[in-house]
Amino acid sequence: IELFLPQLEKQRIQQKTPEVIVYRGKQGPIIALKELLDQYRKGAKETVGYGTDKDDYLRLYPAQLHEFFVEAKKYKVNERLLFAKGFKSPTPYANIRFLPKEYFSPVRTMICNNKVFIVDVTEPMTTIIIEKQEIAKAYMDHFNLLWKIAKSN
C-alpha cells in the first residue's frame, strides 16, 4: 500500500472533481483557520468572510484566534469582513462593513482563493471545506453583492 500512496495522491491532485471535507466537532473551526493560513503561505491576496452576528471564534477559541492573527499579519493578506451593525471585531487590520442583523445566521462563511470554509458552531458543530474554483467564485460574487450594500460604520 505504501508504494501506491504517492501515486494515488498525485492522481487526487490532478483530478478536476471538487474536494469537500466535512468535520464534526470542535476541531473543525481550528482546522479551517489552519487551512486559511496555508492559503496565505501559498500567496493568497485576499480573504473575505460573513455570516454571523457575533464572534464565536473569539468566544470558543480565543488563544487559537490570537495565534491566527499573529501569524496572518505576517502575510499582509487583505481581509474584508461583514458583521452585524454594532459588532466590534477582534481583527485590527481588516476592512469591515456592517449589515443589519437580519442578514446573518449562526453559520460563518470564509472564502480564500479556491476554497470556501463554512463553519456552524451550533450543535452538532460542523465545518465544511470546499475546494473548487467555480464554487469559490459563486460565494465571492455573493459576498461582493453584500459588500456593495453594507455600510462602513
PDB file of all heavy atoms in Angstrom, residues 83-98:
ATOM      1  N   PHE A  83     -20.059  42.153   9.220  1.00  0.00           N
ATOM      2  CA  PHE A  83     -20.622  41.811  10.518  1.00  0.00           C
ATOM      3  C   PHE A  83     -21.929  42.561  10.721  1.00  0.00           C
ATOM      4  O   PHE A  83     -22.243  43.491   9.981  1.00  0.00           O
ATOM      5  CB  PHE A  83     -19.653  42.194  11.654  1.00  0.00           C
ATOM      6  CG  PHE A  83     -18.463  41.288  11.781  1.00  0.00           C
ATOM      7  CD1 PHE A  83     -17.195  41.740  11.462  1.00  0.00           C
ATOM      8  CD2 PHE A  83     -18.606  39.992  12.237  1.00  0.00           C
ATOM      9  CE1 PHE A  83     -16.086  40.917  11.588  1.00  0.00           C
ATOM     10  CE2 PHE A  83     -17.504  39.156  12.369  1.00  0.00           C
ATOM     11  CZ  PHE A  83     -16.246  39.620  12.047  1.00  0.00           C
ATOM     12  N   ALA A  84     -22.662  42.161  11.762  1.00  0.00           N
ATOM     13  CA  ALA A  84     -23.884  42.866  12.120  1.00  0.00           C
ATOM     14  C   ALA A  84     -23.523  44.221  12.703  1.00  0.00           C
ATOM     15  O   ALA A  84     -22.481  44.384  13.346  1.00  0.00           O
ATOM     16  CB  ALA A  84     -24.689  42.055  13.136  1.00  0.00           C
ATOM     17  N   LYS A  85     -24.389  45.171  12.449  1.00  0.00           N
ATOM     18  CA  LYS A  85     -24.195  46.524  12.949  1.00  0.00           C
ATOM     19  C   LYS A  85     -23.938  46.498  14.456  1.00  0.00           C
ATOM     20  O   LYS A  85     -24.610  45.805  15.199  1.00  0.00           O
ATOM     21  CB  LYS A  85     -25.447  47.347  12.644  1.00  0.00           C
ATOM     22  CG  LYS A  85     -25.260  48.821  12.731  1.00  0.00           C
ATOM     23  CD  LYS A  85     -26.471  49.552  12.201  1.00  0.00           C
ATOM     24  CE  LYS A  85     -25.942  50.413  11.090  1.00  0.00           C
ATOM     25  NZ  LYS A  85     -26.912  51.012  10.261  1.00  0.00           N
ATOM     26  N   GLY A  86     -22.901  47.210  14.895  1.00  0.00           N
ATOM     27  CA  GLY A  86     -22.561  47.286  16.311  1.00  0.00           C
ATOM     28  C   GLY A  86     -21.503  46.294  16.759  1.00  0.00           C
ATOM     29  O   GLY A  86     -21.010  46.377  17.880  1.00  0.00           O
ATOM     30  N   PHE A  87     -21.137  45.355  15.921  1.00  0.00           N
ATOM     31  CA  PHE A  87     -20.143  44.350  16.292  1.00  0.00           C
ATOM     32  C   PHE A  87     -18.750  44.964  16.327  1.00  0.00           C
ATOM     33  O   PHE A  87     -18.382  45.745  15.461  1.00  0.00           O
ATOM     34  CB  PHE A  87     -20.164  43.199  15.275  1.00  0.00           C
ATOM     35  CG  PHE A  87     -19.171  42.128  15.572  1.00  0.00           C
ATOM     36  CD1 PHE A  87     -19.433  41.160  16.512  1.00  0.00           C
ATOM     37  CD2 PHE A  87     -17.955  42.097  14.913  1.00  0.00           C
ATOM     38  CE1 PHE A  87     -18.509  40.161  16.790  1.00  0.00           C
ATOM     39  CE2 PHE A  87     -17.023  41.108  15.182  1.00  0.00           C
ATOM     40  CZ  PHE A  87     -17.305  40.141  16.122  1.00  0.00           C
ATOM     41  N   LYS A  88     -17.957  44.604  17.348  1.00  0.00           N
ATOM     42  CA  LYS A  88     -16.565  45.056  17.438  1.00  0.00           C
ATOM     43  C   LYS A  88     -15.660  43.881  17.091  1.00  0.00           C
ATOM     44  O   LYS A  88     -15.621  42.891  17.809  1.00  0.00           O
ATOM     45  CB  LYS A  88     -16.253  45.575  18.839  1.00  0.00           C
ATOM     46  CG  LYS A  88     -16.949  46.885  19.157  1.00  0.00           C
ATOM     47  CD  LYS A  88     -16.397  47.500  20.406  1.00  0.00           C
ATOM     48  CE  LYS A  88     -15.261  48.333  20.089  1.00  0.00           C
ATOM     49  NZ  LYS A  88     -15.040  49.638  20.086  1.00  0.00           N
ATOM     50  N   SER A  89     -14.960  44.017  15.982  1.00  0.00           N
ATOM     51  CA  SER A  89     -14.115  42.927  15.517  1.00  0.00           C
ATOM     52  C   SER A  89     -12.811  42.852  16.287  1.00  0.00           C
ATOM     53  O   SER A  89     -12.195  43.873  16.568  1.00  0.00           O
ATOM     54  CB  SER A  89     -13.803  43.110  14.036  1.00  0.00           C
ATOM     55  OG  SER A  89     -12.881  42.136  13.617  1.00  0.00           O
ATOM     56  N   PRO A  90     -12.344  41.631  16.576  1.00  0.00           N
ATOM     57  CA  PRO A  90     -11.036  41.483  17.204  1.00  0.00           C
ATOM     58  C   PRO A  90      -9.893  41.629  16.183  1.00  0.00           C
ATOM     59  O   PRO A  90      -8.733  41.632  16.545  1.00  0.00           O
ATOM     60  CB  PRO A  90     -11.080  40.065  17.774  1.00  0.00           C
ATOM     61  CG  PRO A  90     -12.012  39.347  16.872  1.00  0.00           C
ATOM     62  CD  PRO A  90     -13.044  40.363  16.457  1.00  0.00           C
ATOM     63  N   THR A  91     -10.233  41.743  14.904  1.00  0.00           N
ATOM     64  CA  THR A  91      -9.239  41.875  13.842  1.00  0.00           C
ATOM     65  C   THR A  91      -8.926  43.348  13.638  1.00  0.00           C
ATOM     66  O   THR A  91      -9.729  44.076  13.072  1.00  0.00           O
ATOM     67  CB  THR A  91      -9.776  41.281  12.521  1.00  0.00           C
ATOM     68  OG1 THR A  91     -10.287  39.994  12.773  1.00  0.00           O
ATOM     69  CG2 THR A  91      -8.707  41.218  11.471  1.00  0.00           C
ATOM     70  N   PRO A  92      -7.767  43.813  14.061  1.00  0.00           N
ATOM     71  CA  PRO A  92      -7.471  45.245  13.965  1.00  0.00           C
ATOM     72  C   PRO A  92      -7.164  45.734  12.553  1.00  0.00           C
ATOM     73  O   PRO A  92      -7.294  46.906  12.267  1.00  0.00           O
ATOM     74  CB  PRO A  92      -6.241  45.405  14.862  1.00  0.00           C
ATOM     75  CG  PRO A  92      -5.610  44.056  14.888  1.00  0.00           C
ATOM     76  CD  PRO A  92      -6.718  43.060  14.712  1.00  0.00           C
ATOM     77  N   TYR A  93      -6.797  44.847  11.645  1.00  0.00           N
ATOM     78  CA  TYR A  93      -6.351  45.291  10.334  1.00  0.00           C
ATOM     79  C   TYR A  93      -7.311  44.934   9.197  1.00  0.00           C
ATOM     80  O   TYR A  93      -6.998  45.144   8.036  1.00  0.00           O
ATOM     81  CB  TYR A  93      -4.950  44.736  10.031  1.00  0.00           C
ATOM     82  CG  TYR A  93      -4.830  43.245  10.262  1.00  0.00           C
ATOM     83  CD1 TYR A  93      -5.148  42.345   9.268  1.00  0.00           C
ATOM     84  CD2 TYR A  93      -4.407  42.767  11.493  1.00  0.00           C
ATOM     85  CE1 TYR A  93      -5.064  40.989   9.492  1.00  0.00           C
ATOM     86  CE2 TYR A  93      -4.307  41.405  11.710  1.00  0.00           C
ATOM     87  CZ  TYR A  93      -4.627  40.526  10.707  1.00  0.00           C
ATOM     88  OH  TYR A  93      -4.535  39.184  10.940  1.00  0.00           O
ATOM     89  N   ALA A  94      -8.473  44.407   9.489  1.00  0.00           N
ATOM     90  CA  ALA A  94      -9.428  44.028   8.447  1.00  0.00           C
ATOM     91  C   ALA A  94     -10.260  45.232   8.014  1.00  0.00           C
ATOM     92  O   ALA A  94     -10.508  46.153   8.789  1.00  0.00           O
ATOM     93  CB  ALA A  94     -10.354  42.929   8.954  1.00  0.00           C
ATOM     94  N   ASN A  95     -10.693  45.206   6.785  1.00  0.00           N
ATOM     95  CA  ASN A  95     -11.635  46.180   6.259  1.00  0.00           C
ATOM     96  C   ASN A  95     -13.024  45.630   6.567  1.00  0.00           C
ATOM     97  O   ASN A  95     -13.394  44.570   6.064  1.00  0.00           O
ATOM     98  CB  ASN A  95     -11.407  46.344   4.761  1.00  0.00           C
ATOM     99  CG  ASN A  95     -12.209  47.476   4.167  1.00  0.00           C
ATOM    100  OD1 ASN A  95     -13.015  48.101   4.835  1.00  0.00           O
ATOM    101  ND2 ASN A  95     -11.988  47.727   2.889  1.00  0.00           N
ATOM    102  N   ILE A  96     -13.771  46.321   7.409  1.00  0.00           N
ATOM    103  CA  ILE A  96     -15.041  45.798   7.909  1.00  0.00           C
ATOM    104  C   ILE A  96     -16.187  46.711   7.506  1.00  0.00           C
ATOM    105  O   ILE A  96     -16.079  47.937   7.593  1.00  0.00           O
ATOM    106  CB  ILE A  96     -15.002  45.654   9.440  1.00  0.00           C
ATOM    107  CG1 ILE A  96     -13.914  44.653   9.829  1.00  0.00           C
ATOM    108  CG2 ILE A  96     -16.356  45.218   9.994  1.00  0.00           C
ATOM    109  CD1 ILE A  96     -13.633  44.581  11.306  1.00  0.00           C
ATOM    110  N   ARG A  97     -17.268  46.082   7.079  1.00  0.00           N
ATOM    111  CA  ARG A  97     -18.516  46.795   6.829  1.00  0.00           C
ATOM    112  C   ARG A  97     -19.620  46.078   7.592  1.00  0.00           C
ATOM    113  O   ARG A  97     -19.473  44.941   8.004  1.00  0.00           O
ATOM    114  CB  ARG A  97     -18.837  46.841   5.337  1.00  0.00           C
ATOM    115  CG  ARG A  97     -17.879  47.740   4.568  1.00  0.00           C
ATOM    116  CD  ARG A  97     -18.363  47.961   3.173  1.00  0.00           C
ATOM    117  NE  ARG A  97     -17.403  48.765   2.427  1.00  0.00           N
ATOM    118  CZ  ARG A  97     -17.522  49.030   1.144  1.00  0.00           C
ATOM    119  NH1 ARG A  97     -18.557  48.573   0.462  1.00  0.00           N
ATOM    120  NH2 ARG A  97     -16.618  49.766   0.531  1.00  0.00           N
ATOM    121  N   PHE A  98     -20.753  46.797   7.721  1.00  0.00           N
ATOM    122  CA  PHE A  98     -21.827  46.298   8.570  1.00  0.00           C
ATOM    123  C   PHE A  98     -23.149  46.213   7.812  1.00  0.00           C
ATOM    124  O   PHE A  98     -23.455  47.048   6.963  1.00  0.00           O
ATOM    125  CB  PHE A  98     -21.982  47.219   9.784  1.00  0.00           C
ATOM    126  CG  PHE A  98     -20.728  47.290  10.614  1.00  0.00           C
ATOM    127  CD1 PHE A  98     -19.796  48.292  10.399  1.00  0.00           C
ATOM    128  CD2 PHE A  98     -20.467  46.333  11.577  1.00  0.00           C
ATOM    129  CE1 PHE A  98     -18.625  48.347  11.144  1.00  0.00           C
ATOM    130  CE2 PHE A  98     -19.297  46.374  12.323  1.00  0.00           C
ATOM    131  CZ  PHE A  98     -18.382  47.386  12.101  1.00  0.00           C
TER     132      PHE A  98
END
